[in-house]
Amino acid sequence: MPTFQFPYCRTTLDITPAFPNGHVVSRPFVGACLRFGSKETVPFFGLIDTGADYCMFPSEFLTALGIEKECLPSSVAMGVSTDHAVRFATVTLEIDRLGLLSIYAGFSDNLNGQGYGMLGHMGFLNRYTLRCDPRNGRFELED
């Protein structure tokens, strides 16, 4: 089984009362793009989220894909989209170095403007073995 290594992405968080000197975190991001037929989104980062039940992306990505949000089935999600409708569609997820995956993904208004999506269990983590090595600044995905 092929194994792919990726570096963690160091992200500087905003200064807040809880972190008056700022705060830097390392996050498992991978380069990604969504496709639907002949249309695709601009490249974005996908955050691998072991706490997410499924993959979720900004609903603004639906416009680039030519999908009408109002025509999609919806559900209410916990976490980032608590008490907000999440619309679902089958799309193609392209991950740098991993290739193409057909996934059933959620699209949430709460993620608009963030510039990244979340890669959860259904559609992504159920297909790969994830190994995290933050001390050495990398993570691995095994096919």
Side-chain angles (χ1 to χ4, degrees):
M1 301 277 184
T3 300
F4 303 91
Q5 287 189 0
F6 298 88
Y8 275 98
C9 181
R10 293 180 52 79
T11 305
T12 302
L13 303 180
D14 293 336
I15 293 174
T16 65
F19 297 99
N21 297 320
H23 188 59
V24 176
V25 296
S26 294
R27 293 183 172 161
F29 280 113
V30 292
C33 177
L34 291 179
R35 295 181 182 181
F36 185 77
S38 63
K39 298 187 177 191
E40 64 183 51
T41 63
V42 296
F44 62 89
F45 286 107
L47 173 64
I48 299 173
D49 186 350
T50 60
D53 292 333
Y54 41 81
C55 299
M56 191 168 352
F57 304 98
S59 63
E60 62 196 1
F61 284 8
L62 292 169
T63 302
L65 297 172
I67 301 172
E68 291 188 38
K69 178 170 72 171
E70 295 75 23
C71 297
L72 299 175
S74 67
S75 181
V76 176
M78 293 178 54
V80 170
S81 294
T82 300
D83 297 330
H84 293 280
V86 176
R87 303 295 182 139
F88 285 84
T90 299
V91 295
T92 299
L93 172 65
E94 180 176 6
I95 299 291
D96 292 348
R97 299 175 31 214
L98 298 181
L100 303 173
L101 303 169
S102 177
I103 63 169
Y104 190 61
F107 293 85
S108 170
D109 290 345
N110 280 10
L111 291 176
N112 286 348
Q114 300 297 316
Y116 67 88
M118 296 188 303
L119 306 176
H121 287 274
M122 187 173 81
F124 187 75
L125 287 171
N126 62 332
R127 299 175 190 213
Y128 297 97
T129 299
L130 172 66
R131 280 190 286 284
C132 300
D133 187 3
R135 280 190 276 178
N136 291 307
R138 67 176 179 256
F139 62 95
E140 297 177 347
L141 291 167
E142 182 180 326
D143 194 357

